[in-house]
Structures are given as C-alpha cells and as structure tokens.
Amino acid sequence: MSLFKTIGAAGLATALSVGAASAADLALYSDKTPWNAGMTGLAEAASKASGATIKLQEITPTDKYQAFMQTSIAGNNVPAFFTWWNGQQLNDLVATGVAADLTPYWQQAIADGDFSADQQALVSVDGKPYGILLNVANWVMFYNKNHFQKAGIANPPTTWAEFIEDCDKLKAAGFTPINGPASGGWMPFIWFSQLVLGTNPDSFVGLTDGSVAYDSPDVQNAFKVWGDMYAKGYFTDPREQDDQKFFVDGTASMFLVGDWHSGSFVEAGMKAGTDFGTFLMPSLSPEVQQSVIVEASPIVVSKAALEANPDLGKGVQAMMGADAANVLGSTVQVYNGNLKANAPNEIIAADKDLVAAAKPRALVRWWEAVPSQIQGDLVAAMGAFMFNPTADQATETMKTMQTINADYWASK
C-alpha cells in the first residue's frame, strides 16, 4: 500500500482544517521497535523540556506503520511527533501540510555547533527543515570475522570479483554467504538497489526520477546477477521474519544494511570489532565509481500540535541536543549526527573513516528517493522475485515494476 494513495483531496482538506491537536496526540510514534530504549529516552527528554507528557507508541512492521499514518492524516489525528524518512518521502509528506517548519530550531542548533547546514539539508524541503535528525547512517556490508578466518579470507573484498570469490569460499566452508531477508514490508529493495547502483549509479538515480525504466539494460543486468547469486546458494531463506536471525546465529556470514544495525547485533550478544566488522560494497566493474548509500531518518513534528502548544518547541530543542544524541548512542547505538555527541560504537566510527578514505559517491537510499505513491507496489514486485528467483520471474517483475513506474510518471 502506498502511503498517500487513498487520501482523497476532500478528506485531506478536512483533516487540515482543524488547527489544534488533541491531548491524545501527544505521542512519539515509531516503527523502530528495536530502538525502544533510545526512543523512550527521547520522549522523556521532550516531556521534561516541554512540560507535556509525551509517550512512545510503536507500530510494526513498517508497512503497517505507513498504513496507520495514512489513516492518521486522513482522519485529522496526526501524532505530535512521528518517525519518517527523508528524500521524496519527506517531500510528499510536507505537501500534505501536516509537518511543522523547524527552521528556528535548526538555526539555533547550527549556531550552537550541534549540527551543520549540510545536515539540515538532509531533512529539508525547498530549503526549509521539517525534521529532527534521528539517524544518519552509512549502508555497509557487515561480515562475521570468524567466518572469514575459517574460510581463509584474510581481508574484506575490494572488487566485485573478490566479493564473488569470497562468497564461494564461505559457502565451501559451510556458511551461507549472505543474510537476505524480505521482511518488514521494505527489505526486498536492498539487493535490487545495490546491484543497480553497482552497475551504474546514474541508472540508480534515474529509477527514482522517472528517467530510467525498470526494465532498462542496467536493471536487466542487476536481475541477472541477483538471480545468479541465488542459483549459487548465496542467500538465506527470505521468508525469515527476524531480519538479523541468520547473521547473529552464525548461519550467514554477511549482511548488507545500515550501520545503525550494529547496536542490534551487540544486543544479540555479538562483539563489535571482534565478532563482526564492515566494508564498503564494491561496484560490479572497476570502471564504475564506488557509491555508498547514506540514510537519514527524521522525527517530524505535527504543525497543528506545535501551534496548539508552542512549548513543544522546547521538546524539539531537547531532542536535538547532545544529551539526547548520547541517549540514543548509549542505549541502542544509533548515531543522529550531532557533532558534539559521542560515536555510539567503534563500528560507526570506523565506517566514517571508511567513507572518508574511499570518497565514494554518496546517494540517497532508494526507499527515500522513490515516489511514495509507487514505493510499496515496487517493493512487493521485488519481493516476488526473492521468493522465486528465476529468469522468468525476473522478466515478470521488471515488467510489473515498469508498468507501475510508467503509469505514475505519465500522470504527472
């Protein structure tokens, strides 16, 4: 289901006509259940600073959370605070009129040295910030150091040929090379987008703005490589709903995901830097520039709630402070970008060094960059391939995705 697909113009106008939020709206809604301790800390900090009582409310998985937010917008019951996504997802949300412009709070945070103007841009639409940064993450490949040692792999791969060779070594050593879940209503896009990006970063960008078709040669190549990897037994069963299970239990050797996941691995009993490390994924060809996905997740504030209770602005300031950032870092090891905060763990600190040394092209994640109206349907098509990774299914998936894509852009 696409987030704003079923919100009619009349219903939205009615939803936005009421200028105040009810007491029940004083909640921080999130789909990030693994971050419960940190999110609870943010709600408590905002409550203390604002004088309001703000309670954490969680809805998972992500597709159910999106459906809830769709209903909330249509029904004029938008939470005071709620987690969101940047890029096109934030653009679409701002267009509904429910999000508060947080310019004065960002101006103060930049003046205080907590954030930079570049970080403000991550959560801005038309130059105005509409979010509190919750997470700024690099997408990296996590790897099990013990598995690599047992497979005779001295160092992480730096080329695609080395990566494939390492997958074969890991499989020969008795491990499934890659954890590849399709859970949560969003994860099927991970390897699709990585393989397109590794084939041609410009095509990856073009998929999100309508200039490249979902059955173009670069996409066809990505599906061929993806299918070959499945045929060689590189991936775990995509039906597993615990997205990290096969990585933390030692079944799978690698997991491509945002480095915010490092805290979850530690909570599961793994030791950062000892049991697992990270590396940047190489492009599929040495001639293709290496790229890295940078994910930025905001907390959005309801415009109606802030207008009804201006003291909530003090809660915004508290959430943007170094103390709140350190709560996130110390409890769930998530980094929100605050320049005065401590690095949550050595993995996140090391990833910053990896990116600084490699100087890859930084790109907005597909999930945030693609139009929200077609996001869910495209992910569902990708998931269909993961459950049946054949050449025929790849053709059908590309046909389905391009029909969805072409219809959307033709309507613009």
Side-chain angles (χ1 to χ4, degrees), residues 59-308:
I59 298 175
T60 56
T62 297
D63 52 353
K64 290 185 178 179
Y65 178 72
Q66 289 180 312
F68 165 78
M69 287 305 306
Q70 180 185 44
T71 302
S72 297
I73 292 171
N76 189 34
N77 191 30
V78 179
F81 299 91
F82 54 97
T83 59
W84 206 247
W85 300 269
N86 69 337
Q88 187 60 44
Q89 304 304 306
L90 186 59
N91 291 1
D92 290 344
L93 179 73
V94 169
T96 69
V98 302
D101 177 357
L102 302 181
T103 295
Y105 309 107
W106 268 96
Q107 288 176 336
Q108 187 62 53
I110 292 172
D112 290 343
D114 285 303
F115 291 96
S116 69
D118 286 343
Q119 290 172 315
Q120 175 181 307
L122 292 172
V123 291
S124 293
V125 175
D126 295 331
K128 296 180 180 180
Y130 288 91
I132 303 162
L133 273 174
L134 170 64
N135 171 44
V136 179
N138 294 303
W139 272 63
V140 295
M141 181 68 90
F142 287 89
Y143 72 99
N144 185 306
K145 289 191 170 186
N146 183 52
H147 288 197
F148 271 47
Q149 183 180 16
K150 288 184 176 180
I153 304 170
N155 297 297
T158 59
T159 67
W160 185 258
E162 289 177 354
F163 173 71
I164 294 299
E165 181 180 348
D166 289 347
C167 286
D168 290 335
K169 289 180 179 178
L170 290 163
K171 195 167 185 297
F175 306 113
T176 302
I178 303 167
N179 182 40
S183 58
W186 64 276
M187 296 191 98
F189 83 81
I190 294 176
W191 273 95
F192 167 78
S193 58
Q194 179 62 44
L195 292 171
V196 174
L197 174 125
T199 299
N200 185 346
D202 290 334
S203 288
F204 172 85
V205 174
L207 289 176
T208 66
D209 65 16
S211 62
V212 171
Y214 276 84
D215 56 359
S216 65
D218 287 337
V219 175
Q220 292 176 32
N221 181 69
F223 269 101
K224 182 181 184 305
V225 173
W226 201 6
D228 289 344
M229 292 171 72
Y230 266 110
K232 293 177 180 177
Y234 287 173
F235 290 104
T236 57
D237 188 339
R239 292 172 296 182
E240 173 56 50
Q241 292 302 298
D242 180 350
D243 62 22
Q244 69 178 19
K245 176 180 183 295
F246 291 132
F247 185 69
V248 300
D249 73 5
T251 299
S253 303
M254 295 181 284
F255 188 8
L256 179 61
V257 73
D259 61 12
W260 46 264
H261 225 310
S262 56
S264 297
F265 301 150
V266 171
E267 288 181 0
M270 301 181 78
K271 294 182 179 179
T274 300
D275 294 332
F276 65 91
T278 59
F279 62 89
L280 298 182
M281 278 296 291
S283 298
L284 271 64
S285 168
E287 289 75 36
V288 176
Q289 180 185 6
Q290 187 178 34
S291 301
V292 65
I293 295 300
V294 178
E295 175 189 359
S297 304
I299 295 174
V300 176
V301 184
S302 160
K303 179 181 179 181
L306 188 58
E307 289 177 348

